[in-house]
């Protein structure tokens, strides 16, 4: 058995993949996410693992939450959309029920490790990954290892204040002004329309593709805010490369806007101009990073 099983548990889907030693996905699929009760969520994980148990060496899981390095019990802290699992020793439960080694890691950290294994962070000594979603995920990779911090929160850029005159709370942090909804709001404001749930990333970039100048102005306004944030992160972390992931990161127009607006954001010469790259593994990064976490626990990589 030279394959591994990866699980990426998100708010709407639980994605899974059989991954070989070269990080090539041999088989993959998904099922709808069950968000409660805890016993049913755990059974969902167990049942999908069981279907492939005979052909894999272990299981790596990527999911929202805070996890301690080296915690063989895989205790869930927080859990995000799977908050019903908060405090559960999910790793131990699944290990005992499947007979396989199981590791669990935060989803943004897995995305960064996936990009380090076979992506835009490969060979980078110090890299930062930011993931655009309903908030903003983040992780710092140093020589192939996640920089965790004293409380496993290093790289959690979502909660950095964007107004130091106010307490750090929802409504005044980076995650509010750089999420994909923030992009939608900027584009809708430029177009003079109200943002609604039916305006998604596909529609926004369709407008831009069609030459809608208002939509492009909204994109540029969003990109400038994002670039201003990256300048602050560059000054604190000083990464070689900043990789941007998430659904909208597949759009080249986004990175063209980042480059276009960086001239306005980069005004202090002492701070290096950030080297920004798109994630290369798309929605598979979390799965690949989960497998790398597993393989490290098995002693197969540094």
């Amino acid at each position: 058995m030279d394959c591994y099983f990866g699980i990426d548990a998100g708010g709407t889907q639980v994605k899974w993949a059989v991954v070989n030693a070269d990080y090539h996905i041999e088989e993959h699929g998904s099922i709808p996410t069950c968000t409660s009760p805890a016993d049913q969520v755990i059974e969902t994980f167990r049942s999908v693992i069981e279907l492939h148990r005979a052909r894999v060496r272990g299981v790596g899981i990527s999911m929202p939450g805070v996890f301690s390095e080296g915690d063989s019990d895989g205790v869930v802290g927080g859990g995000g959309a799977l908050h019903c699992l908060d405090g559960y020793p999910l790793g131990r439960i699944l290990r005992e029920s499947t007979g396989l080694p199981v590791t669990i890691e935060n989803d943004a950290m897995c995305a960064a490790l996936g990009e380090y294994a076979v992506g835009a962070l490969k060979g980078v000594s110090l890299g930062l990954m930011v993931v655009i979603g309903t908030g903003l995920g983040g992780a710092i990779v140093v020589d192939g290892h996640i920089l965790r911090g004293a409380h496993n929160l290093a790289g959690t850029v979502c909660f950095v204040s964007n107004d130091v005159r106010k307490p750090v709370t929802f409504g005044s942090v980076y995650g509010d002004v750089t999420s994909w909804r923030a992009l939608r709001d900027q584009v809708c404001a430029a177009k003079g329309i109200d943002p609604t749930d039916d305006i998604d990333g596909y529609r926004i970039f369709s407008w831009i593709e069609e030459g809608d100048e208002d939509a492009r102005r909204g994109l540029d306004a969003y990109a400038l805010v994002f670039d201003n944030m990256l300048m602050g992160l560059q000054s604190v972390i000083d990464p070689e490369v900043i990789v941007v992931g998430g659904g909208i990161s597949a759009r080249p127009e986004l990175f063209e806007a980042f480059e276009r607006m960086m001239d306005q954001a980069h005004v202090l010469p002492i701070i290096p101009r950030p080297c920004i790259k798109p994630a290369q593994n798309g929605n598979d990064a979390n799965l690949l990073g989960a497998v790398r976490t597993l393989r490290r626990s098995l002693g197969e990589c540094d």
Side-chain angles (χ1 to χ4, degrees), residues 207-219:
W207 287 332
I208 293 167
E209 280 184 337
E210 293 163 3
D212 187 320
E213 288 301 318
D214 290 333
R216 174 173 161 155
R217 284 193 297 107
L219 173 62

Side-chain angles (χ1 to χ4, degrees), residues 15-175:
K15 292 179 287 187
W16 59 266
V18 177
V19 181
N20 69 20
D22 294 323
Y23 294 99
H24 175 75
I25 294 177
E26 297 193 346
E27 186 179 350
H28 63 88
S30 65
I31 56 176
T33 299
C34 169
T35 57
S36 65
D39 289 349
Q40 189 170 335
V41 176
I42 294 169
E43 176 57 24
T44 299
F45 290 163
R46 192 205 62 77
S47 61
V48 73
I49 293 168
E50 192 64 31
L51 292 173
H52 305 274
R53 183 170 62 85
R55 59 186 293 204
V56 299
R57 298 193 60 190
V59 181
I61 299 176
S62 162
M63 62 178 286
V66 178
F67 302 91
S68 298
E69 186 174 24
D71 175 17
S72 62
D73 284 345
V75 176
V76 180
L82 300 175
H83 60 85
C84 68
L85 295 178
D86 188 18
Y88 273 72
L90 181 61
R92 173 161 53 84
I93 293 171
L94 290 175
R95 182 173 66 249
E96 292 175 352
S97 63
T98 64
L100 291 170
V102 178
T103 58
I104 305 179
E105 183 58 279
N106 169 267
D107 48 4
M109 293 181 178
C110 282
L113 290 172
E115 287 298 315
Y116 182 84
V118 281
L121 287 176
K122 188 174 179 64
V124 173
S125 178
L126 175 57
L128 171 66
M129 174 120 190
V130 291
V131 183
I132 303 171
T134 53
L136 189 74
I140 302 167
V141 180
V142 182
D143 295 327
H145 300 271
I146 292 294
L147 179 65
R148 310 188 74 89
H151 305 93
N152 298 296
L153 289 174
T156 310
V157 296
C158 181
F159 301 124
V160 177
S161 173
N162 59 27
D163 186 348
V164 296
R165 296 167 298 181
K166 299 177 181 177
V168 176
T169 185
F170 292 112
S172 63
V173 292
Y174 282 172

Side-chain angles (χ1 to χ4, degrees), residues 13 19 97 111 131 151 167 181 214 218 228 240 244-245 287 293-294:
Q13 287 187 320
V19 181
S97 63
V131 183
H151 305 93
R181 287 194 179 98
D214 290 333
N228 287 338
E240 297 172 44
V244 180
L287 290 165
T293 300
L294 169 69

